[in-house]
Amino acid sequence: MQYHHQQKNRPGAWARLLALLAALVLCLTALYPGRALAEGEDTEAMVRSYDAGKWGSLTLRLSYTKEEKADAIPLDGAQIRIVRIADLQMTDQGPSYPLREGLGKLHYDFLSLSAGGLRQAAKEIADYLKAHPEVLTTLEKESNPQVTPKPDGSTPKGVRTATSDSQGKVFFDHLVHGIYLITQEGQTGTAKDFAPLAPVLCFMPEYLNAEGKGTWIYDVVANPKYSPKKPPTPVPPPENPPKEPPEPNTPPEKPTTPSTPVPKPPSTGDMIHMGLWIGMGLVALIALIVVLRKNKKK
């Protein structure tokens, strides 16, 4: 009877287990809504709205603002270099950004990096290119025929340089889609009074998702802010500076009283002469005693 009673209650236990699993799924969906959207309608809208035939462009407006509400000072003479370090590949699952030829030793998942992670990646890639100039030469050439828009004989190279004008503006057009490393390679004019621009990565085109509506931005505009150069750090004085020689008019120091000389022990030669005299004295004393005894016997 007890066995049949357990069998009868078993469907209720299964129902409670299924309800618990359903609640767990709902909790996970609430904790990770971005991933659910990325795998659903949002990814489909991103892929559907992407225009592979539209060129990208990048505009940088370089300036310095001393105070929050003060007018910005445009910086001319900043030599800016852009390098396409990754290509954009669009599939049904969304975009991916594989690194270009020559950067195979590096590994980054750019879509999963935070803002701080992207800044760190930009610095590491800039340092790598500085240490391997031959890689920069490789990146100038277009070796991937699958990039978009499709390059032709007039397509600019993957490495380009421009200098900011009197308005602090730098402009690059006809950009192949991918990720670009932006660095400052030189400075003249107003820009030489300011610290160089830190390496930064730029997605081209850039996808913005605001209020549930995503949009591809093919003409990217950025306004990086500059800061003045820091004065050189003063070198602290040594802890024990050397004593300076006395000035000519400084009175001479008082002579110190010499200590009492300690008599030197006699040298080896003096000790030999002293021993000789003592020996001769003893011989003479013995001879005198012998003579006196002989006289008494007589």
Side-chain angles (χ1 to χ4, degrees), residues 8 63 65 76 84 106 122 141 149-150 165 169 175 207 224 231 290:
K8 184 178 181 180
S63 63
T65 304
D76 64 284
R84 195 173 87 255
L106 305 178
K141 304 174 183 178
K150 293 188 178 299
D165 58 17
K169 178 182 175 182
L175 296 181
Y207 187 76
V290 171

mmCIF file of all heavy atoms in Angstrom, residues 8 63 65 76 84 106 122 141 149-150 165 169 175 207 224 231 290:
data_model
loop_
_atom_site.group_PDB
_atom_site.id
_atom_site.type_symbol
_atom_site.label_atom_id
_atom_site.label_comp_id
_atom_site.label_asym_id
_atom_site.label_seq_id
_atom_site.Cartn_x
_atom_site.Cartn_y
_atom_site.Cartn_z
ATOM 1 N N LYS A 8 1.600 7.396 -6.651
ATOM 2 C CA LYS A 8 0.517 8.348 -6.906
ATOM 3 C C LYS A 8 0.992 9.785 -6.741
ATOM 4 O O LYS A 8 0.574 10.677 -7.462
ATOM 5 C CB LYS A 8 -0.641 8.042 -5.952
ATOM 6 C CG LYS A 8 -1.864 8.908 -6.183
ATOM 7 C CD LYS A 8 -2.980 8.511 -5.244
ATOM 8 C CE LYS A 8 -4.223 9.357 -5.491
ATOM 9 N NZ LYS A 8 -5.325 8.984 -4.579
ATOM 10 N N SER A 63 40.879 69.526 -30.289
ATOM 11 C CA SER A 63 40.737 70.800 -29.589
ATOM 12 C C SER A 63 41.138 70.640 -28.139
ATOM 13 O O SER A 63 41.286 69.519 -27.622
ATOM 14 C CB SER A 63 39.295 71.315 -29.683
ATOM 15 O OG SER A 63 38.409 70.410 -29.028
ATOM 16 N N THR A 65 40.024 72.440 -24.295
ATOM 17 C CA THR A 65 39.120 73.311 -23.550
ATOM 18 C C THR A 65 39.651 73.442 -22.129
ATOM 19 O O THR A 65 39.715 72.441 -21.395
ATOM 20 C CB THR A 65 37.688 72.746 -23.536
ATOM 21 O OG1 THR A 65 37.260 72.540 -24.889
ATOM 22 C CG2 THR A 65 36.740 73.716 -22.851
ATOM 23 N N ASP A 76 46.099 72.800 -34.514
ATOM 24 C CA ASP A 76 46.620 72.517 -35.859
ATOM 25 C C ASP A 76 47.995 71.871 -35.735
ATOM 26 O O ASP A 76 48.678 72.014 -34.727
ATOM 27 C CB ASP A 76 46.722 73.807 -36.670
ATOM 28 C CG ASP A 76 47.722 74.773 -36.069
ATOM 29 O OD1 ASP A 76 47.402 75.418 -35.042
ATOM 30 O OD2 ASP A 76 48.849 74.871 -36.593
ATOM 31 N N ARG A 84 44.108 50.231 -40.591
ATOM 32 C CA ARG A 84 43.032 49.233 -40.470
ATOM 33 C C ARG A 84 43.653 47.943 -39.971
ATOM 34 O O ARG A 84 44.421 47.290 -40.676
ATOM 35 C CB ARG A 84 42.331 49.023 -41.808
ATOM 36 C CG ARG A 84 40.989 48.299 -41.665
ATOM 37 C CD ARG A 84 40.199 48.232 -42.958
ATOM 38 N NE ARG A 84 40.558 47.075 -43.770
ATOM 39 C CZ ARG A 84 41.294 47.105 -44.867
ATOM 40 N NH1 ARG A 84 41.763 48.255 -45.312
ATOM 41 N NH2 ARG A 84 41.554 46.011 -45.530
ATOM 42 N N LEU A 106 48.528 38.317 -32.388
ATOM 43 C CA LEU A 106 47.657 38.968 -31.420
ATOM 44 C C LEU A 106 46.272 38.319 -31.471
ATOM 45 O O LEU A 106 45.847 37.815 -32.513
ATOM 46 C CB LEU A 106 47.550 40.471 -31.718
ATOM 47 C CG LEU A 106 48.880 41.229 -31.803
ATOM 48 C CD1 LEU A 106 48.627 42.686 -32.160
ATOM 49 C CD2 LEU A 106 49.651 41.126 -30.494
ATOM 50 N N ALA A 122 44.225 49.062 -27.890
ATOM 51 C CA ALA A 122 44.814 50.065 -28.793
ATOM 52 C C ALA A 122 46.270 50.324 -28.440
ATOM 53 O O ALA A 122 47.131 50.407 -29.326
ATOM 54 C CB ALA A 122 43.998 51.359 -28.719
ATOM 55 N N LYS A 141 49.238 47.164 -47.765
ATOM 56 C CA LYS A 141 48.742 46.485 -48.953
ATOM 57 C C LYS A 141 47.403 45.813 -48.651
ATOM 58 O O LYS A 141 47.167 45.345 -47.554
ATOM 59 C CB LYS A 141 49.758 45.435 -49.420
ATOM 60 C CG LYS A 141 51.146 46.013 -49.676
ATOM 61 C CD LYS A 141 52.142 44.910 -49.992
ATOM 62 C CE LYS A 141 53.537 45.475 -50.172
ATOM 63 N NZ LYS A 141 54.537 44.406 -50.435
ATOM 64 N N PRO A 149 33.600 48.128 -48.764
ATOM 65 C CA PRO A 149 33.302 47.917 -50.186
ATOM 66 C C PRO A 149 34.499 47.303 -50.921
ATOM 67 O O PRO A 149 35.630 47.400 -50.452
ATOM 68 C CB PRO A 149 33.001 49.329 -50.696
ATOM 69 C CG PRO A 149 32.681 50.129 -49.490
ATOM 70 C CD PRO A 149 33.496 49.552 -48.391
ATOM 71 N N LYS A 150 34.243 46.690 -52.041
ATOM 72 C CA LYS A 150 35.300 46.004 -52.763
ATOM 73 C C LYS A 150 36.329 47.019 -53.279
ATOM 74 O O LYS A 150 35.977 47.992 -53.936
ATOM 75 C CB LYS A 150 34.718 45.213 -53.942
ATOM 76 C CG LYS A 150 33.845 44.049 -53.497
ATOM 77 C CD LYS A 150 33.452 43.180 -54.657
ATOM 78 C CE LYS A 150 32.615 41.993 -54.186
ATOM 79 N NZ LYS A 150 33.369 41.149 -53.243
ATOM 80 N N ASP A 165 44.176 70.766 -39.702
ATOM 81 C CA ASP A 165 44.274 72.102 -40.273
ATOM 82 C C ASP A 165 44.092 73.156 -39.181
ATOM 83 O O ASP A 165 44.124 72.850 -37.981
ATOM 84 C CB ASP A 165 43.231 72.274 -41.394
ATOM 85 C CG ASP A 165 41.801 72.033 -40.902
ATOM 86 O OD1 ASP A 165 41.574 72.053 -39.671
ATOM 87 O OD2 ASP A 165 40.911 71.836 -41.734
ATOM 88 N N LYS A 169 40.881 70.090 -37.716
ATOM 89 C CA LYS A 169 40.126 69.037 -38.391
ATOM 90 C C LYS A 169 41.050 68.106 -39.163
ATOM 91 O O LYS A 169 41.964 68.555 -39.851
ATOM 92 C CB LYS A 169 39.099 69.660 -39.340
ATOM 93 C CG LYS A 169 38.273 68.651 -40.130
ATOM 94 C CD LYS A 169 37.319 69.357 -41.072
ATOM 95 C CE LYS A 169 36.560 68.408 -41.951
ATOM 96 N NZ LYS A 169 35.660 69.090 -42.908
ATOM 97 N N LEU A 175 36.903 54.805 -46.710
ATOM 98 C CA LEU A 175 37.455 53.846 -45.760
ATOM 99 C C LEU A 175 36.772 52.499 -45.913
ATOM 100 O O LEU A 175 35.537 52.402 -45.902
ATOM 101 C CB LEU A 175 37.279 54.357 -44.325
ATOM 102 C CG LEU A 175 38.021 55.647 -43.969
ATOM 103 C CD1 LEU A 175 37.776 56.019 -42.514
ATOM 104 C CD2 LEU A 175 39.513 55.509 -44.248
ATOM 105 N N TYR A 207 27.983 50.902 -35.157
ATOM 106 C CA TYR A 207 26.580 50.539 -34.966
ATOM 107 C C TYR A 207 26.090 51.093 -33.633
ATOM 108 O O TYR A 207 26.627 50.776 -32.582
ATOM 109 C CB TYR A 207 26.403 49.025 -34.999
ATOM 110 C CG TYR A 207 24.959 48.581 -34.984
ATOM 111 C CD1 TYR A 207 24.164 48.678 -36.128
ATOM 112 C CD2 TYR A 207 24.371 48.083 -33.828
ATOM 113 C CE1 TYR A 207 22.850 48.270 -36.122
ATOM 114 C CE2 TYR A 207 23.044 47.676 -33.804
ATOM 115 C CZ TYR A 207 22.289 47.774 -34.962
ATOM 116 O OH TYR A 207 20.972 47.371 -34.954
ATOM 117 N N PRO A 224 38.189 64.188 -29.973
ATOM 118 C CA PRO A 224 39.119 63.885 -28.874
ATOM 119 C C PRO A 224 39.632 65.165 -28.222
ATOM 120 O O PRO A 224 39.917 66.156 -28.885
ATOM 121 C CB PRO A 224 40.256 63.118 -29.568
ATOM 122 C CG PRO A 224 40.187 63.541 -30.995
ATOM 123 C CD PRO A 224 38.742 63.813 -31.287
ATOM 124 N N PRO A 231 54.891 69.789 -17.037
ATOM 125 C CA PRO A 231 56.293 70.213 -16.894
ATOM 126 C C PRO A 231 57.139 69.036 -16.442
ATOM 127 O O PRO A 231 56.647 68.105 -15.789
ATOM 128 C CB PRO A 231 56.218 71.301 -15.810
ATOM 129 C CG PRO A 231 54.971 71.001 -15.059
ATOM 130 C CD PRO A 231 54.009 70.431 -16.060
ATOM 131 N N VAL A 290 134.540 32.813 41.787
ATOM 132 C CA VAL A 290 135.556 31.744 41.734
ATOM 133 C C VAL A 290 136.862 32.218 42.340
ATOM 134 O O VAL A 290 137.539 31.503 43.123
ATOM 135 C CB VAL A 290 135.743 31.257 40.300
ATOM 136 C CG1 VAL A 290 136.933 30.305 40.193
ATOM 137 C CG2 VAL A 290 134.465 30.561 39.799
#
